[in-house]
Amino acid sequence: MGAMIDRDLRLYFRNYSGVFFSLLGALISFVLYLLFLKRSMQSEWARVPQTTKLLDTWLIGGTLAITGITTTLGGLSQSVIDREKHIDQDLQLTDAGPWRLQVSYLLSAGCIGILMQLAMLGIMWGYFYVTDQLVITGTQLAHVLGLIVVSSLLATVVNAIVVQSVQSLATLTKLASVIGTAAGFLVGTYIPIGVIPNAAQTLVKLTPGSYVAALYRQFLMTDRLKTAFKGNEDVQNHFEKLMGIRLEWSTLLSQSTTYHIIGLILSGALIIAFIPLGLKRWHQRRLMHSR
């Protein structure tokens, strides 16, 4: 299985255009913020202390969530290519078998998500450190690194469900363009979640990426939020709800509750992702026994 993971990683990173386009959604989010959103948002929250650094970390959190979604989908493209060219049938005849083959696709895509999120984190943090003197503490960085692993696994499994029915690379490319564009809205980086209509907010809350983005923002922004809104909890809660730092159902969700929701989504997605393979194996065994 290690050889298959290595194969998938090499094929992904050799395709420079594929790597670029899988990062395009995140890069668009970053560039749009710098060129169009940053000044207007700064003026809107000008009375809040440390506005620039708050908004910088808010952008980093959302962009990392987008990166996890789009790059893991790009990583899973190899499974579609293998299926389209019937290479997967040859690979299933090896010692790995269909189960390990599927796991290798997921693990290689998860590794790609981790590596690309680390790269985007380095780019964004480096830029904001130079321009705005943004500092991320060791504790914040540790939380973010842990969430990078979790978010990559979550995005991989959810995307695996999406690509199960995709039979050609051309179809996946079109689908990836749609998902990359939609991701910026669904994690609230193009438009803050609290600004969009209630029906759209409900849709956002039904997507896993919004919870990942919320956790990233909480890890990066909590200390600054306490300082900026000291003694004004109502205004802080309004800011967190508006900017998607904490999602609201009956109340604003805590970090632990948000993590539990992510864990439930990941567990359910894993089951759904492997159901078709399990049913296929069960059907094959029934046919063999009937003979």
Side-chain angles (χ1 to χ4, degrees), residues 87-289:
I87 296 173
D88 61 331
Q89 296 178 10
D90 296 330
L91 293 173
Q92 289 178 22
L93 297 176
T94 65
D95 293 337
W99 288 98
R100 289 187 180 182
L101 177 62
Q102 178 69 359
V103 171
S104 71
Y105 287 137
L106 296 180
L107 289 179
S108 59
C111 290
I112 288 167
I114 292 170
L115 293 172
M116 301 309 279
Q117 284 189 79
L118 288 173
M120 281 302 300
L121 176 61
I123 291 169
M124 291 185 292
W125 184 12
Y127 178 86
F128 289 132
Y129 178 79
V130 172
T131 58
D132 300 328
Q133 291 73 55
L134 177 68
V135 175
I136 298 177
T137 67
T139 301
Q140 291 172 329
L141 186 59
H143 284 305
V144 168
L145 293 177
L147 185 54
I148 281 176
V149 176
V150 173
S151 70
S152 296
L153 293 176
L154 176 63
T156 298
V157 178
V158 172
N159 281 329
I161 297 172
V162 174
V163 304
Q164 279 179 349
S165 59
V166 178
Q167 300 299 322
S168 69
L169 183 60
T171 302
L172 181 63
T173 301
K174 296 173 184 176
L175 180 64
S177 299
V178 174
I179 291 175
T181 303
F185 292 99
L186 295 175
V187 305
T189 53
Y190 296 164
I191 302 174
I193 292 172
V195 176
I196 60 179
N198 290 333
Q201 290 186 36
T202 301
L203 176 62
V204 167
K205 294 170 190 175
L206 295 176
T207 58
S210 61
Y211 296 92
V212 172
L215 272 184
Y216 273 130
R217 288 164 177 158
Q218 289 173 48
F219 290 147
L220 291 168
M221 299 175 71
T222 296
D223 293 340
R224 290 191 175 90
L225 286 170
K226 290 178 180 178
T227 301
F229 296 99
K230 188 174 182 179
N232 207 335
E233 185 176 350
D234 290 339
V235 178
Q236 179 178 341
N237 288 340
H238 171 70
F239 180 82
E240 291 180 353
K241 177 183 175 181
L242 180 70
M243 302 299 287
I245 299 166
R246 286 199 290 163
L247 300 181
E248 182 185 47
W249 281 106
S250 56
T251 59
L252 289 174
L253 301 179
S254 64
Q255 281 187 12
S256 59
T257 303
T258 306
Y259 245 129
H260 288 155
I261 291 173
I262 288 175
L264 289 173
I265 296 172
L266 178 58
S267 301
L270 274 170
I271 294 172
I272 296 171
F274 281 96
I275 281 177
L277 184 58
L279 290 175
K280 183 178 179 181
R281 296 291 293 171
W282 177 76
H283 182 65
Q284 288 174 344
R285 287 178 180 177
R286 284 198 64 184
L287 288 175
M288 290 178 63
H289 286 305

